Amino acid sequence: MSGVIVVVSHPADVHATAVVGRLASWGRETYLLDYARFGRDLTLTLDPARAGGPAVRVADAGGVTDLTDATAVWWRRPQLVDVGGIPDDDARGFAYGEWHAALGGLHELLPCPWMNPPPLDAAASHKSTQLAVARGLGLRVPETLMTSDPAEARAFVERLGAGSVIYKIFAATERVWRETRRLRPDDLALLDSLPLAPVIFQEFVPARADLRVTVVGDRLFPLAIDSSGTGYDADFRLHLARARTGAADLPDDVADRLRALMKRFGLVYGAVDLRLTPEGEYVFLEVNPAGEFLFAEHGSGLPLTDAVAGWLAAPG
Protein backbone atom coordinates (compact mmCIF):
# COMPACT_ATOMS: atom_id res chain seq x y z
CA MET A 1 0.00 0.00 0.00
CA SER A 2 1.28 3.48 -0.85
CA GLY A 3 2.57 5.64 1.99
CA VAL A 4 1.02 8.87 3.20
CA ILE A 5 1.35 12.17 1.35
CA VAL A 6 1.99 15.02 3.79
CA VAL A 7 0.65 18.51 3.11
CA VAL A 8 2.16 21.20 5.36
CA SER A 9 -0.53 23.85 5.58
CA HIS A 10 -3.75 24.57 7.49
CA PRO A 11 -7.48 23.80 7.08
CA ALA A 12 -8.39 27.28 5.79
CA ASP A 13 -5.98 26.95 2.84
CA VAL A 14 -8.33 26.21 -0.07
CA HIS A 15 -5.44 25.20 -2.32
CA ALA A 16 -4.33 22.57 0.16
CA THR A 17 -7.83 21.24 0.69
CA ALA A 18 -8.48 21.11 -3.07
CA VAL A 19 -5.38 19.00 -3.63
CA VAL A 20 -6.08 16.81 -0.59
CA GLY A 21 -9.59 16.24 -1.92
CA ARG A 22 -8.30 15.30 -5.36
CA LEU A 23 -5.79 12.86 -3.90
CA ALA A 24 -8.53 11.33 -1.73
CA SER A 25 -10.68 10.84 -4.82
CA TRP A 26 -7.80 8.87 -6.29
CA GLY A 27 -7.63 6.69 -3.18
CA ARG A 28 -4.42 8.24 -1.83
CA GLU A 29 -3.89 8.76 1.89
CA THR A 30 -2.96 12.29 2.92
CA TYR A 31 -2.16 14.06 6.18
CA LEU A 32 -2.67 17.81 6.58
CA LEU A 33 0.14 18.82 8.95
CA ASP A 34 -0.74 22.17 10.54
CA TYR A 35 2.23 23.49 12.50
CA ALA A 36 -0.06 25.88 14.41
CA ARG A 37 -1.48 22.85 16.23
CA PHE A 38 1.91 22.16 17.82
CA GLY A 39 1.81 23.67 21.28
CA ARG A 40 -1.95 23.09 21.44
CA ASP A 41 -3.41 19.72 20.55
CA LEU A 42 -0.72 18.03 18.44
CA THR A 43 2.56 16.52 19.63
CA LEU A 44 5.69 15.62 17.70
CA THR A 45 8.06 12.71 18.26
CA LEU A 46 11.35 12.24 16.41
CA ASP A 47 13.04 8.86 16.88
CA PRO A 48 16.34 9.30 14.97
CA ALA A 49 18.26 6.32 16.40
CA ARG A 50 15.53 3.70 16.03
CA ALA A 51 16.89 0.26 15.10
CA GLY A 52 14.72 0.11 12.00
CA GLY A 53 15.68 3.59 10.88
CA PRO A 54 14.63 7.13 11.87
CA ALA A 55 10.95 7.69 12.59
CA VAL A 56 8.62 10.68 12.73
CA ARG A 57 5.30 10.52 14.58
CA VAL A 58 2.60 13.04 15.42
CA ALA A 59 -0.25 12.46 17.84
CA ASP A 60 -3.48 14.07 18.95
CA ALA A 61 -6.65 12.95 20.72
CA GLY A 62 -7.45 10.77 17.71
CA GLY A 63 -4.29 8.74 18.03
CA VAL A 64 -0.78 8.49 16.57
CA THR A 65 0.03 9.09 12.90
CA ASP A 66 3.31 7.70 11.60
CA LEU A 67 4.79 9.96 8.92
CA THR A 68 8.01 7.98 8.62
CA ASP A 69 7.23 6.41 5.24
CA ALA A 70 5.76 9.50 3.61
CA THR A 71 6.08 9.29 -0.16
CA ALA A 72 5.93 13.06 -0.79
CA VAL A 73 5.60 16.31 1.15
CA TRP A 74 4.03 19.55 -0.10
CA TRP A 75 5.56 22.55 1.68
CA ARG A 76 2.54 24.71 1.04
CA ARG A 77 1.64 27.19 3.80
CA PRO A 78 3.54 26.35 7.01
CA GLN A 79 2.14 28.14 10.05
CA LEU A 80 3.91 29.32 13.19
CA VAL A 81 3.86 26.96 16.17
CA ASP A 82 1.44 28.25 18.81
CA VAL A 83 3.46 29.12 21.89
CA GLY A 84 1.28 32.11 22.75
CA GLY A 85 0.15 30.45 25.95
CA ILE A 86 3.58 31.04 27.51
CA PRO A 87 3.35 34.41 29.30
CA ASP A 88 7.06 35.12 29.77
CA ASP A 89 8.74 36.65 26.70
CA ASP A 90 12.08 34.91 27.22
CA ALA A 91 10.45 31.53 27.84
CA ARG A 92 8.21 31.97 24.80
CA GLY A 93 11.21 32.82 22.61
CA PHE A 94 13.07 29.81 23.96
CA ALA A 95 10.13 27.48 23.25
CA TYR A 96 9.79 28.79 19.72
CA GLY A 97 13.50 28.24 19.13
CA GLU A 98 13.19 24.66 20.37
CA TRP A 99 10.28 24.04 18.01
CA HIS A 100 12.23 25.55 15.12
CA ALA A 101 15.12 23.16 15.76
CA ALA A 102 12.84 20.13 16.16
CA LEU A 103 10.91 20.88 12.98
CA GLY A 104 14.19 21.23 11.11
CA GLY A 105 14.89 17.69 12.20
CA LEU A 106 11.47 16.58 10.96
CA HIS A 107 12.30 18.00 7.54
CA GLU A 108 15.56 16.08 7.38
CA LEU A 109 14.05 12.81 8.62
CA LEU A 110 11.49 12.71 5.81
CA PRO A 111 13.81 11.97 2.87
CA CYS A 112 11.03 11.62 0.30
CA PRO A 113 10.57 14.16 -2.53
CA TRP A 114 9.42 17.60 -1.39
CA MET A 115 7.45 20.24 -3.25
CA ASN A 116 9.53 22.35 -2.40
CA PRO A 117 12.40 21.50 -0.01
CA PRO A 118 12.12 24.11 2.79
CA PRO A 119 15.70 25.47 2.61
CA LEU A 120 15.50 25.86 -1.18
CA ASP A 121 12.01 27.34 -0.93
CA ALA A 122 13.28 29.93 1.56
CA ALA A 123 16.31 30.85 -0.57
CA ALA A 124 14.20 31.17 -3.72
CA SER A 125 11.78 33.53 -1.99
CA HIS A 126 14.29 36.40 -1.98
CA LYS A 127 13.19 38.78 -4.73
CA SER A 128 16.67 40.25 -5.11
CA THR A 129 18.12 36.81 -5.86
CA GLN A 130 15.29 35.99 -8.25
CA LEU A 131 15.93 39.06 -10.38
CA ALA A 132 19.69 38.51 -10.45
CA VAL A 133 19.31 34.85 -11.47
CA ALA A 134 16.60 35.60 -14.05
CA ARG A 135 18.76 38.29 -15.67
CA GLY A 136 21.72 35.92 -15.72
CA LEU A 137 19.57 33.35 -17.54
CA GLY A 138 18.70 35.84 -20.27
CA LEU A 139 15.26 36.94 -19.09
CA ARG A 140 14.50 40.64 -19.24
CA VAL A 141 13.87 42.10 -15.77
CA PRO A 142 12.79 45.62 -14.81
CA GLU A 143 15.27 48.12 -13.46
CA THR A 144 14.99 47.65 -9.71
CA LEU A 145 16.23 49.28 -6.53
CA MET A 146 15.63 47.79 -3.08
CA THR A 147 16.61 50.34 -0.47
CA SER A 148 16.08 51.95 2.89
CA ASP A 149 18.08 55.01 1.80
CA PRO A 150 15.96 58.06 0.87
CA ALA A 151 18.75 59.56 -1.23
CA GLU A 152 19.16 56.34 -3.26
CA ALA A 153 15.41 56.16 -3.81
CA ARG A 154 15.14 59.80 -4.90
CA ALA A 155 17.98 59.37 -7.38
CA PHE A 156 16.29 56.29 -8.85
CA VAL A 157 12.94 58.06 -9.16
CA GLU A 158 14.53 61.16 -10.65
CA ARG A 159 16.33 59.09 -13.27
CA LEU A 160 13.24 57.15 -14.37
CA GLY A 161 10.58 59.77 -13.63
CA ALA A 162 7.94 59.45 -10.90
CA GLY A 163 5.29 58.28 -13.35
CA SER A 164 7.55 55.45 -14.52
CA VAL A 165 8.19 53.87 -11.11
CA ILE A 166 6.18 51.38 -9.09
CA TYR A 167 6.81 50.35 -5.51
CA LYS A 168 5.94 47.18 -3.62
CA ILE A 169 6.64 45.20 -0.48
CA PHE A 170 9.08 42.32 -0.07
CA ALA A 171 6.59 39.87 1.44
CA ALA A 172 2.97 39.91 2.52
CA THR A 173 1.65 38.34 5.70
CA GLU A 174 -1.82 37.16 6.62
CA ARG A 175 -2.33 40.46 8.49
CA VAL A 176 -0.53 42.87 6.16
CA TRP A 177 -0.95 42.98 2.38
CA ARG A 178 -0.15 45.85 0.05
CA GLU A 179 -0.75 45.98 -3.67
CA THR A 180 1.87 47.13 -6.17
CA ARG A 181 1.37 50.87 -6.76
CA ARG A 182 2.51 53.52 -9.22
CA LEU A 183 4.62 56.16 -7.48
CA ARG A 184 2.84 59.53 -7.46
CA PRO A 185 4.40 62.95 -6.86
CA ASP A 186 2.62 63.10 -3.49
CA ASP A 187 4.42 59.91 -2.45
CA LEU A 188 7.86 61.52 -2.69
CA ALA A 189 7.42 63.10 0.74
CA LEU A 190 7.14 59.60 2.23
CA LEU A 191 10.64 58.62 1.14
CA ASP A 192 12.08 60.11 4.33
CA SER A 193 10.48 57.24 6.25
CA LEU A 194 12.44 54.62 4.30
CA PRO A 195 14.99 54.02 7.12
CA LEU A 196 12.15 52.36 9.05
CA ALA A 197 11.82 49.58 6.45
CA PRO A 198 13.23 49.00 2.95
CA VAL A 199 10.98 49.19 -0.10
CA ILE A 200 11.24 47.75 -3.62
CA PHE A 201 11.23 50.43 -6.33
CA GLN A 202 10.96 49.23 -9.89
CA GLU A 203 10.66 50.44 -13.44
CA PHE A 204 7.00 50.44 -14.50
CA VAL A 205 6.58 48.03 -17.41
CA PRO A 206 3.54 48.74 -19.64
CA ALA A 207 1.58 45.58 -20.36
CA ARG A 208 -0.39 44.19 -23.23
CA ALA A 209 -1.13 41.41 -20.76
CA ASP A 210 0.07 39.98 -17.48
CA LEU A 211 1.02 36.32 -17.43
CA ARG A 212 0.82 33.97 -14.46
CA VAL A 213 2.83 30.88 -15.34
CA THR A 214 2.26 28.05 -12.89
CA VAL A 215 5.16 25.60 -13.00
CA VAL A 216 4.76 22.03 -11.74
CA GLY A 217 7.84 19.95 -12.33
CA ASP A 218 8.71 20.43 -16.00
CA ARG A 219 5.17 21.45 -16.94
CA LEU A 220 4.27 25.09 -17.55
CA PHE A 221 0.68 26.37 -17.40
CA PRO A 222 0.50 29.99 -18.64
CA LEU A 223 -2.53 32.19 -17.94
CA ALA A 224 -2.93 35.50 -19.79
CA ILE A 225 -4.62 38.34 -17.87
CA ASP A 226 -5.81 41.38 -19.79
CA SER A 227 -6.56 44.13 -17.27
CA SER A 228 -7.01 46.92 -19.81
CA GLY A 229 -10.13 48.91 -19.07
CA THR A 230 -10.15 48.02 -15.36
CA GLY A 231 -8.62 51.35 -14.38
CA TYR A 232 -5.51 49.89 -12.72
CA ASP A 233 -2.35 48.98 -14.60
CA ALA A 234 0.14 48.10 -11.87
CA ASP A 235 -1.33 45.03 -10.13
CA PHE A 236 -3.74 42.67 -11.88
CA ARG A 237 -4.87 41.20 -8.55
CA LEU A 238 -6.96 44.25 -7.71
CA HIS A 239 -9.42 43.79 -10.57
CA LEU A 240 -8.94 40.15 -11.50
CA ALA A 241 -12.70 39.50 -11.53
CA ARG A 242 -13.11 42.15 -14.27
CA ALA A 243 -10.08 41.15 -16.33
CA ARG A 244 -10.20 38.96 -19.42
CA THR A 245 -8.31 35.71 -18.81
CA GLY A 246 -7.46 32.60 -20.76
CA ALA A 247 -4.81 29.97 -21.40
CA ALA A 248 -1.79 31.32 -23.24
CA ASP A 249 1.31 30.13 -25.08
CA LEU A 250 4.92 30.98 -24.27
CA PRO A 251 7.77 31.21 -26.76
CA ASP A 252 10.09 28.24 -26.45
CA ASP A 253 13.06 30.36 -25.37
CA VAL A 254 11.08 31.97 -22.53
CA ALA A 255 9.72 28.59 -21.40
CA ASP A 256 13.23 27.10 -21.44
CA ARG A 257 14.58 29.97 -19.34
CA LEU A 258 11.79 29.59 -16.79
CA ARG A 259 12.57 25.89 -16.47
CA ALA A 260 16.23 26.77 -16.02
CA LEU A 261 15.25 29.27 -13.30
CA MET A 262 13.28 26.62 -11.43
CA LYS A 263 16.15 24.15 -11.76
CA ARG A 264 18.65 26.76 -10.56
CA PHE A 265 16.60 27.26 -7.38
CA GLY A 266 15.74 23.57 -6.97
CA LEU A 267 12.00 24.29 -7.04
CA VAL A 268 9.34 21.78 -8.07
CA TYR A 269 6.49 24.28 -7.88
CA GLY A 270 6.41 28.00 -8.55
CA ALA A 271 4.01 30.71 -9.69
CA VAL A 272 5.86 33.01 -12.09
CA ASP A 273 4.63 36.50 -12.93
CA LEU A 274 5.60 37.98 -16.30
CA ARG A 275 4.50 41.05 -18.24
CA LEU A 276 4.04 40.97 -21.99
CA THR A 277 4.82 44.44 -23.30
CA PRO A 278 2.99 46.11 -26.21
CA GLU A 279 6.14 45.40 -28.26
CA GLY A 280 5.85 41.67 -27.57
CA GLU A 281 8.69 41.36 -25.04
CA TYR A 282 8.34 39.09 -22.00
CA VAL A 283 9.53 40.66 -18.73
CA PHE A 284 10.16 38.59 -15.60
CA LEU A 285 8.76 40.08 -12.38
CA GLU A 286 9.02 37.33 -9.76
CA VAL A 287 8.41 33.71 -8.81
CA ASN A 288 6.42 32.75 -5.75
CA PRO A 289 7.38 29.25 -4.54
CA ALA A 290 3.95 28.90 -2.88
CA GLY A 291 1.86 31.10 -5.16
CA GLU A 292 -1.86 30.58 -5.63
CA PHE A 293 -3.12 28.63 -8.63
CA LEU A 294 -6.87 28.15 -8.26
CA PHE A 295 -7.67 31.52 -9.84
CA ALA A 296 -5.52 30.52 -12.82
CA GLU A 297 -7.32 27.19 -13.09
CA HIS A 298 -10.73 28.87 -12.94
CA GLY A 299 -9.68 31.55 -15.42
CA SER A 300 -8.23 29.20 -18.00
CA GLY A 301 -9.51 25.67 -17.52
CA LEU A 302 -5.91 24.49 -17.08
CA PRO A 303 -5.75 21.30 -14.93
CA LEU A 304 -3.63 22.76 -12.16
CA THR A 305 -5.16 20.88 -9.21
CA ASP A 306 -4.62 17.64 -11.10
CA ALA A 307 -1.05 18.65 -11.93
CA VAL A 308 -0.11 19.38 -8.32
CA ALA A 309 -1.90 16.29 -7.00
CA GLY A 310 -0.41 14.20 -9.79
CA TRP A 311 3.14 15.21 -8.92
CA LEU A 312 2.56 14.44 -5.24
CA ALA A 313 1.08 11.06 -6.12
CA ALA A 314 3.99 10.20 -8.41
CA PRO A 315 6.90 12.60 -7.82
CA GLY A 316 9.35 13.25 -10.60
Side-chain angles (χ1 to χ4, degrees):
M1 182 176 178
S2 300
V4 66
I5 297 169
V6 179
V7 177
V8 182
S9 192
H10 58 95
D13 177 8
V14 294
H15 292 73
T17 55
V19 169
V20 167
R22 190 60 46 87
L23 288 166
S25 73
W26 296 345
R28 296 302 304 269
E29 181 186 0
T30 62
Y31 185 85
L32 182 63
L33 181 56
D34 181 1
Y35 284 7
R37 294 181 60 199
F38 289 129
R40 295 200 315 251
D41 64 342
L42 187 68
T43 63
L44 170 67
T45 298
L46 306 179
D47 192 353
R50 190 182 63 157
V56 176
R57 296 183 294 275
V58 293
D60 58 17
V64 178
T65 301
D66 192 337
L67 305 181
T68 305
D69 296 323
T71 57
V73 181
W74 186 17
W75 185 248
R76 164 63 193 163
R77 281 283 192 269
Q79 301 297 291
L80 293 176
V81 174
D82 186 0
V83 293
I86 302 175
D88 180 76
D89 289 345
D90 290 340
R92 188 166 59 251
F94 172 78
Y96 183 77
E98 293 296 282
W99 272 111
H100 180 76
L103 289 172
L106 178 153
H107 304 156
E108 295 298 325
L109 292 183
L110 296 182
C112 59
W114 284 66
M115 177 194 280
N116 297 301
L120 301 182
D121 188 283
S125 296
H126 296 299
K127 290 181 169 61
S128 54
T129 309
Q130 293 178 12
L131 292 170
V133 170
R135 187 175 184 275
L137 291 171
L139 289 162
R140 183 191 155 186
V141 302
E143 289 194 56
T144 303
L145 185 73
M146 303 174 178
T147 186
S148 65
D149 188 323
E152 290 265 12
R154 285 195 175 91
F156 183 81
V157 173
E158 183 176 348
R159 182 166 60 83
L160 295 184
S164 298
V165 174
I166 60 95
Y167 62 100
K168 58 186 180 181
I169 63 176
F170 283 85
T173 68
E174 291 189 359
R175 293 186 177 185
V176 178
W177 183 88
R178 295 289 186 273
E179 75 274 15
T180 299
R181 301 179 183 181
R182 294 281 287 272
L183 188 73
R184 304 167 301 177
D186 291 349
D187 295 326
L188 295 176
L190 301 175
L191 296 180
D192 288 333
S193 63
L194 275 176
L196 296 173
V199 171
I200 301 173
F201 298 94
Q202 205 163 57
E203 163 198 3
F204 170 71
V205 178
R208 181 198 307 172
D210 285 285
L211 291 148
R212 166 58 67 92
V213 184
T214 307
V215 186
V216 184
D218 288 329
R219 303 174 69 188
L220 272 58
F221 300 91
L223 169 77
I225 304 159
D226 180 359
S227 302
S228 60
T230 64
Y232 202 80
D233 58 1
D235 193 329
F236 71 79
R237 295 170 296 180
L238 291 182
H239 297 291
L240 186 59
R242 295 165 51 197
R244 294 187 295 274
T245 63
D249 294 316
L250 285 178
D252 289 344
D253 63 323
V254 175
D256 289 344
R257 288 183 173 104
L258 292 183
R259 291 189 179 97
L261 181 85
M262 297 290 287
K263 184 175 181 180
R264 164 68 174 75
F265 283 122
L267 298 179
V268 173
Y269 175 91
V272 177
D273 286 329
L274 306 172
R275 285 208 131 183
L276 175 61
T277 70
E279 297 75 29
E281 190 171 17
Y282 291 82
V283 181
F284 173 88
L285 300 180
E286 64 181 78
V287 56
N288 186 338
E292 298 182 348
F293 61 83
L294 289 178
F295 80 88
E297 182 168 73
H298 296 156
S300 66
L302 295 168
L304 293 171
T305 301
D306 278 355
V308 173
W311 191 94
L312 292 169

